[in-house]
Amino acid sequence: MRSPKSGPGARPVRPVADLIQRVNVRLVPVLASVALVALVVSGVALSQILPGYFADEAERRAETAANATLILVRNQADILRRERPSELLTPELRNTRLLQPLAQLAANLLAQGTVEITYADGSRAAWAEPEPETDAALRAEGLQPDPGVDEQSVIDPRLVLALGQSISLTYTVRDVYTNRVATLQRVNGTLVGAGLAALAVSLFVGVLAARRLTGPLARLRRTSSKFAQGALDERAPVFGIVEVDELGQQFNVMADRLSESVRLLQDDRDQLREFVADVSHELRTPIAALRTFTELQRDGEVSQEQRQEFLDRSTEQINRLEWMSTNLLDLSRIDAGIFPLDVRWGDLRDPVREVVEAHAEMAEHRGIALTSAVPTSPVMLRFDRERIVQLLTNLIGNALKFTPRDGEVVAVLQDGDGAAELEVRDSGPGIPAAELPLVFDRFFRGTNVGEARASGSGLGLAIARSIVEMHGGTIAVSSELGKGATFTVRLPRTDAEGQ
């Protein structure tokens, strides 16, 4: 969090001593004559008015946070309703995928307190309080949960789910972090310590405080109201008052983080739209082919040989659809974070040999020399065997598909100090330099691959990159036109694995 002096247009916070020096000396006799009354009035005002005032502000902040949580849940529900509507239909999925993560986000960033989401029947859907890191950061700033602030609730009578269903939710914020207690302790300590020496200026300080506090707080309240109504670009200005500026800065941090979250959600939505458009485009080809083969057999007179050819081509298109659907399912599971790894200790040479042997017949049929080079000693690493086999299958299968007859494909495993390195080399036509950054993108199949381009889904290398990244590794490609391509995978060891 920035200090009150930072940021464009910020004014330095003047200490109380500077304000005292600016008092008109002609008012001193008048103020001295009412010093005792001013002390009593100031004491009463500070002990009665300010606690309620800070509590009201905290309650308004809690109400604003509850409204912001409602907006956040609605936005995320809209996205889930378009992308994964099934996650909204059952309470278990709705609570774990939608409400609980957003309640935790709201507790950390929006409310800075405890957030509870309940259904209309009173049952709890989600509950969260600031995480330990957030709690430590807030306490370091002098904030702590304030039980003297009433909880604030906002009811959403109709949260639209999938299939036209809707539910009613109540968003409650309580135990918000405030600096009310610390502020009052400092004020009371100042009154006691200053004593009679401060009587002459108590009235001035009280009037000045009232004048300087009410205006900025009213502006801050208006800003928070606009933000709660959806104006996410609204920010609190700097007023030159430490406590109010701290509150305003907390509001700005909350607003910045919420705006960033909304921006990320919008980016995810745009990426999803592009992904759906790409999938629709890729599905048109096999579907059109199947429709053509079916119509020719239904409407035309075809020979037995032609019928068998149509059936063979239809089988190829069905296999392509099945392969594409499997890859799309894997990618959707990866994006959703439900692509688990069964990481175990093992010898990395085994999956290399297994995949090479599994592709030996295909390589022989295509007239391609497929070999492997592995160390003589075990290459011990923690990895998911099934996913590594899938990774190598994609890389070696891709190399065989693009390598011409009498070509060569080599799988090389090397054992380094901090990582194991896998290389799959081929003697194919190579990849243009301009296309190298795109080879791991979804549905990218290149332009220098001839007929092999039409046989793939363009998803294998994207899945390979995801598998490598899930293992904490990196994957790269290098190529030169006419001299083949080399895919390099680096799988690091953790400190606990040893050498």
Side-chain angles (χ1 to χ4, degrees):
M1 180 176 291
R2 298 180 303 173
S3 67
K5 296 182 180 181
S6 62
R11 294 176 297 173
V13 179
R14 294 179 298 174
V16 177
D18 292 339
L19 296 177
I20 295 175
Q21 292 176 1
R22 297 174 62 89
V23 174
N24 193 327
V25 294
R26 290 175 295 180
L27 296 178
V28 172
V30 178
L31 293 176
S33 65
V34 293
L36 183 58
V37 177
L39 177 62
V40 174
V41 172
S42 298
V44 172
L46 292 172
S47 62
Q48 299 295 327
I49 298 176
L50 285 183
Y53 190 85
F54 281 117
D56 291 342
E57 285 300 314
E59 290 169 5
R60 282 190 286 270
R61 181 161 61 91
E63 182 181 4
T64 299
N67 279 288
T69 305
L70 181 151
I71 295 172
L72 188 61
V73 171
R74 281 187 174 179
N75 291 341
Q76 183 64 19
D78 289 341
I79 295 175
L80 287 180
R81 189 166 61 248
R82 295 190 298 270
E83 300 177 4
R84 302 186 293 277
S86 60
E87 296 183 3
L88 294 174
L89 294 179
T90 62
E92 294 80 9
L93 285 176
R94 185 165 61 243
N95 294 347
T96 57
R97 298 294 175 80
L98 174 66
L99 299 179
Q100 182 59 40
L102 294 183
Q104 188 63 65
L105 175 65
N108 287 335
L109 303 181
L110 303 180
Q112 295 184 336
T114 301
V115 175
E116 183 179 20
I117 304 177
T118 56
Y119 291 106
D121 60 0
S123 61
R124 176 182 290 177
W127 178 91
E129 61 183 2
E131 295 176 333
E133 295 83 358
T134 304
D135 177 80
L138 293 173
R139 292 182 183 275
E141 296 175 4
L143 306 178
Q144 58 184 354
D146 194 344
V149 178
D150 295 336
E151 68 179 26
Q152 300 295 314
S153 298
V154 175
I155 298 177
D156 183 4
R158 178 176 170 81
L159 177 67
V160 180
L161 307 178
L163 303 179
Q165 300 182 22
S166 64
I167 57 174
S168 176
L169 294 177
T170 300
Y171 304 84
T172 303
V173 176
R174 62 173 66 90
D175 296 332
V176 294
Y177 286 66
T178 70
N179 60 358
R180 182 173 63 93
V181 175
T183 300
L184 293 177
Q185 289 176 349
R186 289 198 300 269
V187 172
N188 291 333
T190 301
L191 286 176
V192 174
L196 296 177
L199 293 180
V201 295
S202 59
L203 180 60
F204 171 74
V205 173
V207 172
L208 181 61
R211 181 179 301 172
R212 299 198 62 191
L213 282 175
T214 54
L217 290 175
R219 291 181 59 188
L220 185 59
R221 182 173 61 252
R222 290 193 295 269
T223 300
S224 62
S225 299
K226 292 180 181 178
F227 187 86
Q229 295 172 3
L232 300 183
D233 293 332
E234 288 290 331
R235 294 296 183 270
V238 177
F239 301 103
I241 303 175
V242 175
E243 289 77 8
V244 180
D245 284 343
E246 288 178 355
L247 183 61
Q249 289 167 7
Q250 293 167 17
F251 174 85
N252 290 340
V253 170
M254 176 193 71
D256 290 340
R257 293 177 179 175
L258 179 59
S259 299
E260 178 65 16
S261 299
V262 173
R263 186 190 64 79
L264 292 176
L265 291 174
Q266 292 173 344
D267 291 343
D268 290 342
R269 179 194 61 189
D270 295 339
Q271 292 177 2
L272 177 62
R273 289 175 177 173
E274 294 178 2
F275 180 72
V276 171
D278 290 338
V279 171
S280 301
H281 176 74
E282 292 298 325
L283 291 177
R284 287 195 185 99
T285 299
I287 291 176
L290 289 173
R291 179 186 294 112
T292 300
F293 297 153
T294 302
E295 291 176 351
L296 287 174
Q297 295 182 77
R298 182 189 62 189
D299 301 332
E301 294 182 1
V302 296
S303 63
Q304 185 64 30
E305 292 79 7
Q306 290 175 326
R307 185 181 302 276
Q308 184 62 43
E309 181 182 357
F310 290 160
L311 291 175
D312 292 340
R313 292 186 179 181
S314 297
T315 301
E316 292 178 359
Q317 297 300 329
I318 292 173
N319 291 336
R320 182 179 179 185
L321 284 173
E322 181 181 10
W323 171 252
M324 187 179 299
S325 63
T326 301
N327 288 339
L328 288 173
L329 178 60
D330 288 342
L331 284 174
S332 65
R333 292 169 62 195
I334 292 172
D335 291 341
I338 55 175
F339 198 71
L341 291 182
D342 184 14
V343 179
R344 299 183 181 181
W345 188 269
D347 187 355
L348 197 57
R349 299 180 302 172
D350 295 338
V352 175
R353 292 166 175 164
E354 176 183 337
V355 176
V356 170
E357 292 175 1
H359 287 78
E361 183 177 352
M362 178 191 299
E364 182 178 358
H365 176 72
R366 296 191 176 195
I368 300 172
L370 175 61
T371 59
S372 63
V374 298
T376 56
S377 58
V379 181
M380 303 305 294
L381 200 70
R382 287 180 58 83
F383 61 91
D384 185 327
R385 180 184 178 88
E386 180 180 352
R387 302 308 174 199
I388 294 300
V389 168
Q390 183 180 8
L391 163 69
L392 291 168
T393 299
N394 288 349
L395 294 179
I396 293 178
N398 191 70
L400 291 175
K401 180 169 61 176
F402 296 131
T403 300
R405 180 172 291 274
D406 298 328
E408 179 182 16
V409 175
V410 182
V412 181
L413 173 63
Q414 297 178 344
D415 190 8
D417 293 336
E421 191 171 279
L422 281 165
E423 285 189 357
V424 177
R425 309 168 185 164
D426 65 65
S427 58
I431 305 172
E435 297 182 3
L436 287 177
L438 307 175
V439 295
F440 297 107
D441 291 349
R442 298 174 182 180
F443 299 107
F444 181 79
R445 291 177 294 183
T447 58
N448 192 38
V449 293
E451 296 181 356
R453 183 176 187 270
S455 63
S457 65
L459 298 174
L461 293 180
I463 294 176
R465 178 177 63 180
S466 298
I467 292 175
V468 172
E469 291 177 349
M470 291 172 67
H471 283 79
T474 59
I475 184 171
V477 59
S478 60
S479 178
E480 186 177 348
L481 287 179
K483 296 183 180 181
T486 300
F487 288 84
T488 304
V489 175
R490 181 178 176 84
L491 300 176
R493 290 188 175 89
T494 63
D495 295 338
E497 291 173 355
Q499 305 298 330

